[in-house]
Amino acid sequence: MVEEAPTGNDHQRRSRIRAAEVRRRVLDVALERVEGIGLTIGFEHIVMDDLIREAGVPRSSTYRLWDSKESFIADLLIEIATDTSTKLADDETFEICERILLDNLDQLQDPAGRERVLYEVVRVALEHNFRAVIASVAWQSYVGLSATLLSHMESSARDEIERALRNGSGEFIERMAEFHAWISNILGYRLREQWGGDYRPYAVVISSLVEGLGLRHLGNPDLVDADFRGPASVTLGSDEPGWKLPAIALVAVLHGFVEPDPDYDADATVARLREMERAREAGRDEPGA
């Protein structure tokens, strides 16, 4: 299709778009398309002229930034690799954890109660996070990128994409480690001595578990989604609320890394959580909240 030549003010207006803005607009349009389609092994659906038209940028400026579709796809893959890490840990998971804690403050006064709350966090909140991750197009694109596309790219682009994947993975692991350190401390657990207080190995194992079960879910969702008998004797609520494989596997990993903290101060922890609850309620009561 031949693109109509811009004339008059349209040409002047479009020609003033800076290269950085052209790049951002075109990549954003492409990312929206990838997110709308989901997991794909190729990018045949990406048509440069369509992206240029939708982004509202000059064709000439675009092709000065990317001299081929392959060079554009390389930049797009770097964007996907970088973007993925920010979308794997969702705010809703933390909110679910917080609600479980605040709804069960009375359980924190004894070890058995704390174990019940911990298992409920795993069964409900971390299971939710697993489902959110594997349903996200960002993760699906990450899988396609990691498993297939890198082997078909020229070395310079592959190096950049691998660097972006490593950086994004590192940031994600740090966030996961901080979260698990927080929830362990709240519920009276600590890392076993051999881990030297470093939650990152724990976070790496958990994230690998999520990725592996996520891949298995692509091929065998019925098994991954099936209900199994979990540790019902220490579960809050109904006797057998139904445990999925991801939650059961997370419990198994948890026991390998953490143990009850003999120095846990239940009263201080409950007081801190009550203060957090009051602050949250005060925020809701403020005008415009």
Side-chain angles (χ1 to χ4, degrees):
M1 177 181 236
V2 178
E3 181 181 333
E4 294 184 5
T7 59
N9 291 335
D10 282 343
H11 177 78
Q12 293 175 3
R13 176 177 56 80
R14 294 176 67 186
S15 65
R16 286 196 293 268
I17 302 177
R18 294 179 182 275
E21 185 176 352
V22 171
R23 182 180 186 281
R24 189 67 266 155
R25 284 193 194 181
V26 177
L27 284 170
D28 284 346
V29 170
L31 285 169
E32 287 179 7
R33 293 210 173 179
V34 171
E35 290 182 358
I37 292 173
L39 177 62
T40 177
I41 298 303
F43 287 92
E44 292 80 6
H45 59 287
I46 298 292
V47 178
M48 291 302 298
D49 281 354
D50 290 347
L51 299 180
I52 292 166
R53 188 179 308 108
E54 190 170 341
V57 297
R59 192 173 189 274
S60 58
S61 297
T62 303
Y63 280 105
R64 277 196 294 271
L65 289 168
W66 300 288
D67 58 5
S68 66
K69 180 177 177 179
E70 289 71 25
S71 65
F72 172 75
I73 293 299
D75 266 5
L76 177 59
L77 293 176
I78 293 171
E79 290 283 317
I80 292 171
T82 302
D83 196 42
T84 297
S85 67
T86 66
K87 295 183 176 179
L88 295 183
D90 62 325
D91 291 339
E92 190 173 356
T93 297
F94 179 80
E95 292 171 2
I96 293 171
C97 287
E98 185 181 83
R99 187 178 69 243
I100 292 171
L101 291 172
L102 296 178
D103 287 348
N104 294 281
L105 292 179
D106 60 315
Q107 298 281 336
L108 304 187
Q109 293 294 339
D110 67 271
R114 291 194 291 273
E115 186 178 50
R116 285 192 289 271
V117 177
L118 178 62
Y119 277 48
E120 190 74 350
V121 166
V122 173
R123 186 183 72 83
V124 178
L126 298 188
E127 172 73 20
H128 163 83
N129 182 249
F130 170 77
R131 300 294 164 182
V133 166
I134 67 171
S136 70
V137 175
W139 181 80
Q140 294 170 5
S141 298
Y142 170 82
V143 170
L145 174 60
S146 299
T148 305
L149 298 177
L150 290 179
S151 62
H152 299 293
M153 302 190 67
E154 54 94 9
S155 59
S156 62
R158 185 169 63 247
D159 290 345
E160 288 189 63
I161 295 167
E162 288 177 342
R163 190 178 306 113
L165 285 172
R166 285 196 302 273
N167 291 341
S169 176
E171 293 172 8
F172 176 61
I173 292 302
E174 291 289 347
R175 289 201 304 274
M176 282 192 67
E178 290 175 4
F179 169 78
H180 286 284
W182 175 79
I183 196 68
S184 297
N185 179 264
I186 288 288
L187 291 175
Y189 289 84
R190 66 182 184 185
L191 278 176
R192 296 183 184 275
E193 185 178 1
Q194 64 264 38
W195 303 112
D198 187 356
Y199 275 84
R200 288 176 300 174
Y202 183 26
V204 168
V205 172
I206 289 176
S207 64
S208 300
L209 173 66
V210 168
E211 290 174 11
L213 283 170
L215 289 172
R216 183 59 57 203
H217 187 271
L218 293 174
N220 198 340
D222 290 343
L223 181 58
V224 179
D225 290 341
D227 283 335
F228 294 92
R229 181 189 295 274
S233 61
V234 293
T235 299
L236 296 168
S238 59
D239 291 338
E240 295 185 37
W243 282 68
K244 310 291 186 185
L245 279 178
I248 293 172
L250 287 169
V251 166
V253 172
L254 181 149
H255 283 304
F257 279 85
V258 302
E259 62 185 3
D261 183 355
D263 298 323
Y264 178 73
D265 188 335
D267 291 337
T269 299
V270 170
R272 189 163 73 249
L273 289 171
R274 290 195 188 282
E275 182 61 32
M276 184 175 71
E277 183 177 27
R278 284 192 291 270
R280 186 181 66 174
E281 294 299 326
R284 288 177 178 173
D285 291 341
E286 290 179 0

